[in-house]
Amino acid sequence: MNRTTLSLIAGATALAAVTGFAAVTSPDTSAPDTTATAAELPVERTSLTCPTPSVSDLAETTYTSFTPVTKGTGNDGKAELRPAVTESTDGEDAKDGKDGKTGKASGKGDKDGKGEKEAKAFLTAKEPGKPLAEDVSGSDSPALVGTADGKFAPGWTVQQTTEVAAGTGRGLLGAACTAPDTDFWFPGASTAADRTDYVHLVNPDDSAAVVDIELYGRDGALETTTGEGITVAPHSDDPVLLSTLTTEKLDNVTVHVSVRSGRVGASVQALDDKLGGDWLGASVDPAGSLVIPGIPKDATAVRLIAFAPGDADADLKVRLASPTGQITPAGNETLHLKAGMTGAVDLGDVMRGEPGSLVLTPTGRSVPVVAAVRVVRGKGAGQETAFIPATRPVGTRATVVDNRAKGTTLSLTAPFGAAEVKVTASAGSEGGTPATKSFTIKAGTTQQVEAPVPSGLKGTYALTVESVSGGEVHGARTITDAQDGVSAFTVQTLPDDRGTVAVPKADQDLSVLQQ
C-alpha cells in the first residue's frame, strides 16, 4: 500500500470521526432557528465634533449636552467635550481659547499628535435625562471633540448655538455637533462675493487625517487649487475658506468632503454680508427620494439646491407637504438635474403662512441625489438666513437640545403614510419636570405641533421624538430670537440618533464542522 493511499485512509478516518461527533452533539433541527435573530442593544461609545463657533468678538455661544435615558445601559459611563486646536490658514496653530496658549500646550494639538498633556474637559455631563449647558463669549471659543460611553453613549446629543450681534453672518447660528465620518455632501454653499463660507474639518483622533474637498457648480466640477490632500492635524479644527479653493464666484455650490485616511467631522459655516448666516449641515447620503422638513411658515424666500453625484441625470417631482396635504409649487412641479452639476430653483414665498416640508421623489428611474434648502425670514435690513439639509427619518428616536420656553417650534412630517409619535420634554438644565405628549401626523402633511414643555422650567430643555406606529416621520426644530429688528433664527433636523445597534444572537453549532 503506497503513501498516498495511507494518507487518504487517514484523512477519511479523521473526517468520519469529526462527522460522527458532530452528528451526536448537533442541536435538534426540529427546534426553531433563532441564530438569525438579533437583539437591539444600546451603543457603548459615541463620538462627536463641534466646529469653532465664530471668529466674531461679539459672539455669544451656548453648548448644550444631553443623553436620553435608555434601558439596558447599566450605571457607569461619562460624556466629555474637550477643546480642539484651530489651525490657521498659514498652517500655524491658533489659540485654543481656554488658556491663551497654543494647541501644543493644551495637549494633542501638535502635528504628530504627541501633546504633553490632555486638554482639560470643557463640559462633563452629570446624568442622563437632564441637559447641561455651558456659555462662552468672543472669538476665542475653540472647536470641541467629545466622547460618551456607557449610560451616556446612546443618543448623546450636543448643540452649539451662537448669537452674533453685528457684522457678516450676524444673527443666530445653530449646529448639532456631528459624528466623525469619511464622506459628506453640502449642497447650498457659495463662493459668491457677498458670502464667506468655510468648511470646518474637525479631527477627533490621535493621528492626522487626509481630506479632499471637491466643488461643483452649475456647469460641473470647479477647478480647485488646494482642495486635494488637506492634512488635518490630530485633535484639531481646520477651517477652509471656499473662495480660496477656486477663482469662480458662484451663488450655488455643492461641496463634497471625502477622507482618504482617518475620519473627520465636517460642516459648512455660511456667512452673508446682508442676509446673516448659519451652519449648513451635511445632506443625508445620496438617495432617490429625499425629505427636507420644517420650513418655517413665515419664510419670505426658499431656495432648493440639489446635486446628482453619479453619472446619470435625475428628474425629481417637487412637492410641498403642507398641514392639509401635498401640493405642487406653482411653476416648479419638477426639477431636472444634470449629472455632476448643481441645480437650484427659487421657490419664493412658497409657504404662504403655513409650515411645510419639501418632498423630492423620482419622476421615473430612481437616481441618487443630495439636497438642501436656504430659508430667508424677515424683510429689508432685518433679513436672516438658515439652511435645512435633507435628513434621515426620526426612526426609533431622535433628540434636539437647547429648546427655550419661548421661540421654539417643532415641525413633524409624515411624507408617505400616517404615523404616531411620542414627544418628551426633558427636565430643564436648571430645573423642571419632564412632560410627554403623543401626536398623530396624517399622511402627506406637515404639522407644527405644540410640543410639551417641562413644568416649572428653568433654563433650556431637550425634546426627544420617538416613533410609535405607522410610516416614517421627519422632523425639524426652529429657534427664533428677535435681535434689534433682525429675524434671527436657526433650524436643526431630527435624524435617528442610532442609539441602539442590532447584535445577532449566537448559539453553539458544531454542524459547521461538516462543511
Side-chain angles (χ1 to χ4, degrees), residues 187 281-295 304-306 316-322 326 356-362 369-373 387-394 411-417 441 444-447 471-476 491-495:
S283 171
V284 68
D285 291 340
S289 297
L290 299 175
V291 179
I292 304 173
I295 303 173
L304 169 64
I305 309 99
L316 300 171
K317 295 179 183 178
V318 180
R319 299 291 183 269
L320 180 67
S322 72
Q326 292 193 9
S357 305
L358 284 181
V359 181
L360 308 179
T361 56
V369 297
V370 293
V373 296
F387 297 87
I388 311 174
T391 186
R392 299 192 306 272
V394 167
S411 293
L412 301 173
T413 183
F416 309 118
I441 313 300
T445 70
T446 295
Q447 303 297 325
E472 66 181 47
V473 174
H474 297 250
V491 182
Q492 282 74 52
T493 59
L494 284 92

Short mmCIF file of all heavy atoms in Angstrom, two decimals, residues 187 281-295 304-306 316-322 326 356-362 369-373 387-394 411-417 441 444-447 471-476 491-495:
data_model
loop_
_atom_site.label_atom_id
_atom_site.label_comp_id
_atom_site.label_asym_id
_atom_site.label_seq_id
_atom_site.Cartn_x
_atom_site.Cartn_y
_atom_site.Cartn_z
N PRO A 187 -24.87 70.52 -0.39
CA PRO A 187 -25.48 71.41 -1.40
C PRO A 187 -25.98 72.67 -0.71
O PRO A 187 -26.64 72.60 0.34
CB PRO A 187 -26.63 70.57 -1.95
CG PRO A 187 -26.96 69.60 -0.85
CD PRO A 187 -25.72 69.36 -0.07
N GLY A 281 -25.56 71.91 7.57
CA GLY A 281 -25.21 70.53 7.88
C GLY A 281 -25.18 69.68 6.63
O GLY A 281 -25.70 70.06 5.58
N ALA A 282 -24.56 68.52 6.74
CA ALA A 282 -24.47 67.62 5.60
C ALA A 282 -25.83 67.04 5.26
O ALA A 282 -26.65 66.74 6.13
CB ALA A 282 -23.48 66.49 5.89
N SER A 283 -26.08 66.89 3.95
CA SER A 283 -27.28 66.20 3.49
C SER A 283 -27.18 64.72 3.84
O SER A 283 -26.08 64.16 4.00
CB SER A 283 -27.44 66.38 1.98
OG SER A 283 -28.48 65.56 1.47
N VAL A 284 -28.32 64.08 3.94
CA VAL A 284 -28.34 62.63 4.08
C VAL A 284 -27.63 62.02 2.87
O VAL A 284 -27.51 62.65 1.82
CB VAL A 284 -29.80 62.13 4.18
CG1 VAL A 284 -30.55 62.32 2.87
CG2 VAL A 284 -29.87 60.67 4.62
N ASP A 285 -27.12 60.81 3.02
CA ASP A 285 -26.42 60.14 1.91
C ASP A 285 -27.28 60.15 0.65
O ASP A 285 -28.52 60.12 0.72
CB ASP A 285 -26.09 58.70 2.28
CG ASP A 285 -25.02 58.61 3.37
OD1 ASP A 285 -24.29 59.61 3.56
OD2 ASP A 285 -24.93 57.56 4.03
N PRO A 286 -26.64 60.20 -0.54
CA PRO A 286 -27.42 60.25 -1.79
C PRO A 286 -28.49 59.17 -1.85
O PRO A 286 -28.23 58.00 -1.55
CB PRO A 286 -26.33 60.03 -2.86
CG PRO A 286 -25.08 60.54 -2.24
CD PRO A 286 -25.18 60.21 -0.79
N ALA A 287 -29.71 59.58 -2.24
CA ALA A 287 -30.84 58.65 -2.30
C ALA A 287 -31.79 59.11 -3.38
O ALA A 287 -31.80 60.28 -3.79
CB ALA A 287 -31.55 58.59 -0.95
N GLY A 288 -32.66 58.22 -3.84
CA GLY A 288 -33.61 58.53 -4.89
C GLY A 288 -34.72 59.45 -4.44
O GLY A 288 -35.22 60.27 -5.22
N SER A 289 -35.14 59.33 -3.18
CA SER A 289 -36.18 60.19 -2.61
C SER A 289 -35.63 60.87 -1.38
O SER A 289 -34.92 60.25 -0.57
CB SER A 289 -37.42 59.37 -2.24
OG SER A 289 -38.01 58.77 -3.38
N LEU A 290 -35.97 62.15 -1.20
CA LEU A 290 -35.45 62.94 -0.08
C LEU A 290 -36.57 63.75 0.56
O LEU A 290 -37.54 64.13 -0.11
CB LEU A 290 -34.36 63.90 -0.54
CG LEU A 290 -33.09 63.30 -1.17
CD1 LEU A 290 -32.19 64.41 -1.68
CD2 LEU A 290 -32.35 62.43 -0.17
N VAL A 291 -36.40 64.03 1.85
CA VAL A 291 -37.34 64.86 2.58
C VAL A 291 -36.56 65.97 3.29
O VAL A 291 -35.56 65.69 3.98
CB VAL A 291 -38.15 64.06 3.61
CG1 VAL A 291 -39.09 64.97 4.39
CG2 VAL A 291 -38.93 62.95 2.93
N ILE A 292 -37.00 67.21 3.11
CA ILE A 292 -36.39 68.37 3.76
C ILE A 292 -37.46 68.96 4.67
O ILE A 292 -38.37 69.66 4.21
CB ILE A 292 -35.91 69.40 2.73
CG1 ILE A 292 -34.93 68.74 1.74
CG2 ILE A 292 -35.26 70.59 3.42
CD1 ILE A 292 -34.53 69.64 0.59
N PRO A 293 -37.41 68.68 5.98
CA PRO A 293 -38.53 69.02 6.87
C PRO A 293 -38.43 70.39 7.50
O PRO A 293 -37.36 71.02 7.56
CB PRO A 293 -38.42 67.93 7.95
CG PRO A 293 -36.93 67.72 8.06
CD PRO A 293 -36.37 67.90 6.66
N GLY A 294 -39.56 70.90 7.98
CA GLY A 294 -39.59 72.01 8.91
C GLY A 294 -39.26 73.37 8.35
O GLY A 294 -38.59 74.17 9.01
N ILE A 295 -39.75 73.72 7.15
CA ILE A 295 -39.55 75.07 6.63
C ILE A 295 -40.51 76.00 7.38
O ILE A 295 -41.72 75.76 7.40
CB ILE A 295 -39.80 75.13 5.12
CG1 ILE A 295 -38.87 74.14 4.39
CG2 ILE A 295 -39.58 76.54 4.59
CD1 ILE A 295 -39.16 74.00 2.92
N LEU A 304 -34.22 75.91 -3.24
CA LEU A 304 -33.86 74.50 -3.23
C LEU A 304 -32.59 74.30 -4.04
O LEU A 304 -32.50 74.74 -5.18
CB LEU A 304 -35.01 73.67 -3.83
CG LEU A 304 -34.72 72.20 -4.13
CD1 LEU A 304 -34.40 71.42 -2.86
CD2 LEU A 304 -35.90 71.57 -4.89
N ILE A 305 -31.59 73.66 -3.43
CA ILE A 305 -30.34 73.34 -4.11
C ILE A 305 -30.15 71.83 -4.07
O ILE A 305 -30.30 71.20 -3.00
CB ILE A 305 -29.13 74.03 -3.44
CG1 ILE A 305 -29.39 75.53 -3.27
CG2 ILE A 305 -27.86 73.80 -4.24
CD1 ILE A 305 -29.85 75.93 -1.90
N ALA A 306 -29.86 71.23 -5.22
CA ALA A 306 -29.74 69.77 -5.30
C ALA A 306 -28.60 69.39 -6.24
O ALA A 306 -28.17 70.18 -7.08
CB ALA A 306 -31.05 69.14 -5.75
N LEU A 316 -36.82 64.92 -10.76
CA LEU A 316 -37.49 64.82 -9.48
C LEU A 316 -38.83 65.54 -9.49
O LEU A 316 -38.96 66.63 -10.06
CB LEU A 316 -36.62 65.44 -8.38
CG LEU A 316 -35.24 64.84 -8.17
CD1 LEU A 316 -34.44 65.71 -7.20
CD2 LEU A 316 -35.35 63.41 -7.63
N LYS A 317 -39.83 64.93 -8.85
CA LYS A 317 -41.06 65.62 -8.53
C LYS A 317 -40.82 66.46 -7.28
O LYS A 317 -40.22 65.99 -6.31
CB LYS A 317 -42.19 64.63 -8.25
CG LYS A 317 -42.61 63.79 -9.43
CD LYS A 317 -43.72 62.82 -9.01
CE LYS A 317 -44.14 61.91 -10.15
NZ LYS A 317 -45.18 60.94 -9.73
N VAL A 318 -41.28 67.69 -7.30
CA VAL A 318 -41.15 68.58 -6.15
C VAL A 318 -42.53 68.78 -5.54
O VAL A 318 -43.44 69.28 -6.20
CB VAL A 318 -40.54 69.93 -6.56
CG1 VAL A 318 -40.40 70.85 -5.34
CG2 VAL A 318 -39.19 69.74 -7.23
N ARG A 319 -42.68 68.37 -4.28
CA ARG A 319 -43.95 68.51 -3.59
C ARG A 319 -43.72 69.20 -2.26
O ARG A 319 -42.71 69.00 -1.60
CB ARG A 319 -44.62 67.15 -3.35
CG ARG A 319 -44.94 66.39 -4.64
CD ARG A 319 -46.05 67.05 -5.41
NE ARG A 319 -46.43 66.29 -6.60
CZ ARG A 319 -45.88 66.47 -7.79
NH1 ARG A 319 -44.93 67.38 -7.95
NH2 ARG A 319 -46.26 65.75 -8.83
N LEU A 320 -44.69 70.03 -1.88
CA LEU A 320 -44.65 70.68 -0.58
C LEU A 320 -45.69 70.03 0.32
O LEU A 320 -46.89 70.08 0.04
CB LEU A 320 -44.94 72.17 -0.71
CG LEU A 320 -44.93 72.99 0.59
CD1 LEU A 320 -43.53 73.05 1.17
CD2 LEU A 320 -45.48 74.39 0.35
N ALA A 321 -45.22 69.39 1.39
CA ALA A 321 -46.13 68.78 2.36
C ALA A 321 -46.60 69.86 3.32
O ALA A 321 -45.84 70.31 4.18
CB ALA A 321 -45.44 67.65 3.11
N SER A 322 -47.84 70.29 3.17
CA SER A 322 -48.42 71.36 3.98
C SER A 322 -49.26 70.75 5.11
O SER A 322 -49.41 69.53 5.19
CB SER A 322 -49.29 72.25 3.10
OG SER A 322 -50.48 71.57 2.74
N GLN A 326 -50.11 67.28 0.41
CA GLN A 326 -49.04 67.65 -0.51
C GLN A 326 -49.58 68.47 -1.67
O GLN A 326 -50.60 68.14 -2.27
CB GLN A 326 -48.34 66.39 -1.03
CG GLN A 326 -47.55 65.66 0.04
CD GLN A 326 -46.61 64.62 -0.54
OE1 GLN A 326 -46.42 64.55 -1.74
NE2 GLN A 326 -46.01 63.81 0.32
N GLY A 356 -44.22 73.85 6.32
CA GLY A 356 -44.21 72.79 5.31
C GLY A 356 -42.86 72.11 5.21
O GLY A 356 -41.88 72.50 5.86
N SER A 357 -42.83 71.07 4.40
CA SER A 357 -41.61 70.30 4.14
C SER A 357 -41.57 69.97 2.66
O SER A 357 -42.61 69.73 2.04
CB SER A 357 -41.60 69.00 4.95
OG SER A 357 -41.77 69.25 6.34
N LEU A 358 -40.38 69.95 2.08
CA LEU A 358 -40.23 69.56 0.68
C LEU A 358 -40.01 68.06 0.58
O LEU A 358 -39.19 67.49 1.31
CB LEU A 358 -39.06 70.31 0.03
CG LEU A 358 -39.31 71.78 -0.32
CD1 LEU A 358 -38.07 72.37 -0.98
CD2 LEU A 358 -40.51 71.94 -1.25
N VAL A 359 -40.74 67.44 -0.33
CA VAL A 359 -40.61 66.01 -0.60
C VAL A 359 -40.19 65.84 -2.05
O VAL A 359 -40.90 66.27 -2.97
CB VAL A 359 -41.94 65.27 -0.33
CG1 VAL A 359 -41.77 63.78 -0.59
CG2 VAL A 359 -42.41 65.51 1.11
N LEU A 360 -39.03 65.25 -2.25
CA LEU A 360 -38.49 65.04 -3.60
C LEU A 360 -38.53 63.56 -3.92
O LEU A 360 -37.96 62.74 -3.18
CB LEU A 360 -37.04 65.55 -3.67
CG LEU A 360 -36.79 66.99 -3.20
CD1 LEU A 360 -35.31 67.33 -3.31
CD2 LEU A 360 -37.64 67.99 -3.98
N THR A 361 -39.19 63.21 -5.01
CA THR A 361 -39.29 61.81 -5.44
C THR A 361 -38.99 61.72 -6.93
O THR A 361 -39.22 62.68 -7.67
CB THR A 361 -40.70 61.25 -5.16
OG1 THR A 361 -41.68 62.07 -5.80
CG2 THR A 361 -40.97 61.18 -3.67
N PRO A 362 -38.50 60.59 -7.42
CA PRO A 362 -38.17 60.47 -8.84
C PRO A 362 -39.42 60.44 -9.71
O PRO A 362 -40.44 59.87 -9.33
CB PRO A 362 -37.40 59.15 -8.91
CG PRO A 362 -37.83 58.37 -7.71
CD PRO A 362 -38.12 59.38 -6.65
N VAL A 369 -29.55 61.43 -5.23
CA VAL A 369 -29.29 62.87 -5.20
C VAL A 369 -29.09 63.30 -3.75
O VAL A 369 -29.44 62.58 -2.81
CB VAL A 369 -30.43 63.68 -5.85
CG1 VAL A 369 -30.58 63.34 -7.31
CG2 VAL A 369 -31.75 63.44 -5.11
N VAL A 370 -28.53 64.51 -3.58
CA VAL A 370 -28.47 65.18 -2.28
C VAL A 370 -29.12 66.54 -2.45
O VAL A 370 -29.19 67.08 -3.55
CB VAL A 370 -27.02 65.32 -1.79
CG1 VAL A 370 -26.41 63.96 -1.48
CG2 VAL A 370 -26.15 66.07 -2.80
N ALA A 371 -29.61 67.11 -1.33
CA ALA A 371 -30.34 68.37 -1.45
C ALA A 371 -30.38 69.10 -0.12
O ALA A 371 -30.20 68.52 0.97
CB ALA A 371 -31.76 68.13 -1.95
N ALA A 372 -30.65 70.41 -0.21
CA ALA A 372 -30.85 71.26 0.96
C ALA A 372 -31.65 72.48 0.52
O ALA A 372 -31.79 72.74 -0.68
CB ALA A 372 -29.52 71.68 1.59
N VAL A 373 -32.18 73.23 1.49
CA VAL A 373 -32.83 74.50 1.16
C VAL A 373 -32.19 75.62 1.96
O VAL A 373 -31.71 75.41 3.09
CB VAL A 373 -34.36 74.48 1.43
CG1 VAL A 373 -35.06 73.49 0.55
CG2 VAL A 373 -34.65 74.24 2.90
N PHE A 387 -30.31 77.19 6.96
CA PHE A 387 -30.25 76.10 5.99
C PHE A 387 -30.85 74.84 6.58
O PHE A 387 -30.69 74.56 7.78
CB PHE A 387 -28.79 75.83 5.58
CG PHE A 387 -28.13 76.98 4.88
CD1 PHE A 387 -27.50 77.97 5.60
CD2 PHE A 387 -28.14 77.07 3.50
CE1 PHE A 387 -26.90 79.05 4.97
CE2 PHE A 387 -27.54 78.13 2.85
CZ PHE A 387 -26.91 79.13 3.60
N ILE A 388 -31.54 74.08 5.74
CA ILE A 388 -32.11 72.79 6.16
C ILE A 388 -31.69 71.73 5.15
O ILE A 388 -32.10 71.79 4.00
CB ILE A 388 -33.65 72.83 6.25
CG1 ILE A 388 -34.13 74.05 7.04
CG2 ILE A 388 -34.17 71.55 6.89
CD1 ILE A 388 -35.63 74.22 7.04
N PRO A 389 -30.86 70.77 5.54
CA PRO A 389 -30.48 69.70 4.61
C PRO A 389 -31.52 68.58 4.60
O PRO A 389 -32.29 68.42 5.56
CB PRO A 389 -29.15 69.20 5.19
CG PRO A 389 -29.31 69.41 6.67
CD PRO A 389 -30.15 70.67 6.82
N ALA A 390 -31.56 67.82 3.51
CA ALA A 390 -32.35 66.59 3.52
C ALA A 390 -31.81 65.69 4.62
O ALA A 390 -30.60 65.64 4.87
CB ALA A 390 -32.24 65.89 2.16
N THR A 391 -32.72 64.99 5.30
CA THR A 391 -32.31 64.28 6.51
C THR A 391 -32.94 62.90 6.60
O THR A 391 -33.93 62.59 5.92
CB THR A 391 -32.69 65.11 7.75
OG1 THR A 391 -32.17 64.48 8.92
CG2 THR A 391 -34.20 65.23 7.88
N ARG A 392 -32.36 62.07 7.48
CA ARG A 392 -32.92 60.75 7.76
C ARG A 392 -34.23 60.89 8.55
O ARG A 392 -34.44 61.91 9.21
CB ARG A 392 -31.95 59.90 8.59
CG ARG A 392 -30.62 59.62 7.96
CD ARG A 392 -29.87 58.53 8.75
NE ARG A 392 -29.75 58.84 10.15
CZ ARG A 392 -28.76 59.54 10.69
NH1 ARG A 392 -27.80 60.02 9.93
NH2 ARG A 392 -28.71 59.75 11.99
N PRO A 393 -35.08 59.85 8.51
CA PRO A 393 -36.28 59.88 9.35
C PRO A 393 -35.91 59.86 10.84
O PRO A 393 -34.79 59.52 11.22
CB PRO A 393 -37.02 58.60 8.96
CG PRO A 393 -36.42 58.15 7.67
CD PRO A 393 -35.02 58.64 7.66
N VAL A 394 -36.89 60.22 11.67
CA VAL A 394 -36.72 60.12 13.11
C VAL A 394 -36.36 58.71 13.53
O VAL A 394 -35.55 58.49 14.44
CB VAL A 394 -38.01 60.58 13.82
CG1 VAL A 394 -38.01 60.20 15.29
CG2 VAL A 394 -38.20 62.09 13.65
N SER A 411 -41.63 70.93 14.10
CA SER A 411 -42.42 70.52 12.93
C SER A 411 -42.16 69.06 12.63
O SER A 411 -41.01 68.61 12.63
CB SER A 411 -42.04 71.37 11.71
OG SER A 411 -42.44 72.71 11.87
N LEU A 412 -43.23 68.32 12.35
CA LEU A 412 -43.13 66.90 12.03
C LEU A 412 -43.89 66.64 10.74
O LEU A 412 -44.99 67.17 10.54
CB LEU A 412 -43.73 66.05 13.16
CG LEU A 412 -43.10 66.21 14.54
CD1 LEU A 412 -43.91 65.45 15.58
CD2 LEU A 412 -41.64 65.73 14.54
N THR A 413 -43.31 65.81 9.88
CA THR A 413 -43.97 65.47 8.62
C THR A 413 -43.96 63.97 8.41
O THR A 413 -42.97 63.29 8.73
CB THR A 413 -43.30 66.18 7.42
OG1 THR A 413 -44.02 65.88 6.24
CG2 THR A 413 -41.86 65.75 7.25
N ALA A 414 -45.08 63.45 7.89
CA ALA A 414 -45.21 62.04 7.53
C ALA A 414 -45.42 61.99 6.02
O ALA A 414 -46.56 62.04 5.55
CB ALA A 414 -46.38 61.40 8.27
N PRO A 415 -44.35 61.94 5.23
CA PRO A 415 -44.47 62.16 3.79
C PRO A 415 -45.20 61.06 3.03
O PRO A 415 -45.81 61.32 2.00
CB PRO A 415 -43.02 62.27 3.33
CG PRO A 415 -42.23 61.53 4.37
CD PRO A 415 -42.95 61.74 5.64
N PHE A 416 -45.15 59.82 3.54
CA PHE A 416 -45.67 58.71 2.74
C PHE A 416 -46.76 57.89 3.42
O PHE A 416 -47.40 57.07 2.78
CB PHE A 416 -44.51 57.78 2.37
CG PHE A 416 -43.34 58.50 1.75
CD1 PHE A 416 -42.10 58.50 2.37
CD2 PHE A 416 -43.49 59.21 0.56
CE1 PHE A 416 -41.02 59.18 1.80
CE2 PHE A 416 -42.42 59.88 0.00
CZ PHE A 416 -41.18 59.87 0.62
N GLY A 417 -47.00 58.10 4.70
CA GLY A 417 -48.04 57.35 5.40
C GLY A 417 -48.25 57.92 6.78
O GLY A 417 -47.32 58.46 7.40
N ILE A 441 -49.72 62.20 12.94
CA ILE A 441 -49.43 63.03 11.77
C ILE A 441 -50.07 62.35 10.56
O ILE A 441 -49.76 61.20 10.24
CB ILE A 441 -47.92 63.18 11.55
CG1 ILE A 441 -47.21 63.55 12.86
CG2 ILE A 441 -47.65 64.22 10.48
CD1 ILE A 441 -47.68 64.84 13.48
N GLY A 444 -48.77 62.59 4.24
CA GLY A 444 -48.54 63.67 3.30
C GLY A 444 -48.60 65.06 3.88
O GLY A 444 -48.61 66.04 3.13
N THR A 445 -48.65 65.19 5.20
CA THR A 445 -48.78 66.51 5.82
C THR A 445 -47.57 66.86 6.69
O THR A 445 -46.80 66.00 7.10
CB THR A 445 -50.04 66.59 6.70
OG1 THR A 445 -49.86 65.78 7.88
CG2 THR A 445 -51.27 66.13 5.95
N THR A 446 -47.46 68.15 6.97
CA THR A 446 -46.51 68.67 7.96
C THR A 446 -47.31 69.36 9.04
O THR A 446 -48.17 70.19 8.75
CB THR A 446 -45.52 69.66 7.32
OG1 THR A 446 -44.72 68.98 6.36
CG2 THR A 446 -44.62 70.29 8.36
N GLN A 447 -47.03 69.02 10.28
CA GLN A 447 -47.74 69.62 11.40
C GLN A 447 -46.76 70.37 12.30
O GLN A 447 -45.73 69.81 12.69
CB GLN A 447 -48.46 68.55 12.22
CG GLN A 447 -49.44 67.70 11.42
CD GLN A 447 -50.58 68.50 10.84
OE1 GLN A 447 -51.05 69.45 11.45
NE2 GLN A 447 -51.04 68.11 9.65
N GLY A 471 -46.05 55.12 9.33
CA GLY A 471 -44.97 55.37 8.39
C GLY A 471 -43.84 56.18 8.99
O GLY A 471 -43.87 56.55 10.18
N GLU A 472 -42.84 56.48 8.15
CA GLU A 472 -41.69 57.23 8.63
C GLU A 472 -42.06 58.69 8.88
O GLU A 472 -42.94 59.26 8.23
CB GLU A 472 -40.53 57.14 7.64
CG GLU A 472 -40.77 57.82 6.30
CD GLU A 472 -39.59 57.65 5.38
OE1 GLU A 472 -39.06 56.52 5.25
OE2 GLU A 472 -39.17 58.65 4.76
N VAL A 473 -41.38 59.29 9.86
CA VAL A 473 -41.58 60.68 10.24
C VAL A 473 -40.25 61.41 10.15
O VAL A 473 -39.21 60.89 10.54
CB VAL A 473 -42.14 60.78 11.67
CG1 VAL A 473 -42.21 62.24 12.13
CG2 VAL A 473 -43.51 60.15 11.76
N HIS A 474 -40.29 62.63 9.60
CA HIS A 474 -39.13 63.50 9.57
C HIS A 474 -39.45 64.73 10.41
O HIS A 474 -40.60 65.19 10.44
CB HIS A 474 -38.78 63.92 8.15
CG HIS A 474 -38.39 62.77 7.26
ND1 HIS A 474 -37.10 62.57 6.82
CD2 HIS A 474 -39.13 61.76 6.74
CE1 HIS A 474 -37.05 61.49 6.06
NE2 HIS A 474 -38.28 60.98 6.00
N GLY A 475 -38.44 65.29 11.05
CA GLY A 475 -38.71 66.43 11.92
C GLY A 475 -37.63 67.48 11.89
O GLY A 475 -36.49 67.23 11.46
N ALA A 476 -38.00 68.69 12.34
CA ALA A 476 -37.05 69.79 12.47
C ALA A 476 -37.52 70.72 13.57
O ALA A 476 -38.72 70.86 13.81
CB ALA A 476 -36.91 70.56 11.15
N VAL A 491 -32.40 76.46 12.30
CA VAL A 491 -33.20 75.24 12.18
C VAL A 491 -32.28 74.02 12.26
O VAL A 491 -31.25 73.99 11.59
CB VAL A 491 -33.96 75.20 10.84
CG1 VAL A 491 -34.83 73.94 10.76
CG2 VAL A 491 -34.81 76.45 10.65
N GLN A 492 -32.66 73.05 13.09
CA GLN A 492 -31.93 71.77 13.16
C GLN A 492 -32.89 70.61 12.91
O GLN A 492 -34.03 70.63 13.40
CB GLN A 492 -31.26 71.59 14.53
CG GLN A 492 -29.98 72.38 14.72
CD GLN A 492 -30.25 73.86 14.92
OE1 GLN A 492 -31.05 74.24 15.79
NE2 GLN A 492 -29.61 74.70 14.14
N THR A 493 -32.44 69.64 12.14
CA THR A 493 -33.26 68.47 11.83
C THR A 493 -33.14 67.43 12.94
O THR A 493 -32.27 67.52 13.82
CB THR A 493 -32.83 67.85 10.49
OG1 THR A 493 -31.44 67.48 10.55
CG2 THR A 493 -33.03 68.84 9.36
N LEU A 494 -34.02 66.42 12.88
CA LEU A 494 -34.05 65.38 13.91
C LEU A 494 -33.87 63.99 13.28
O LEU A 494 -34.83 63.23 13.14
CB LEU A 494 -35.37 65.41 14.68
CG LEU A 494 -35.55 66.52 15.70
CD1 LEU A 494 -36.22 67.72 15.06
CD2 LEU A 494 -36.38 66.02 16.88
N PRO A 495 -32.66 63.63 12.87
CA PRO A 495 -32.43 62.29 12.34
C PRO A 495 -32.33 61.26 13.47
O PRO A 495 -32.03 61.61 14.63
CB PRO A 495 -31.08 62.42 11.62
CG PRO A 495 -30.37 63.50 12.38
CD PRO A 495 -31.45 64.46 12.83
#
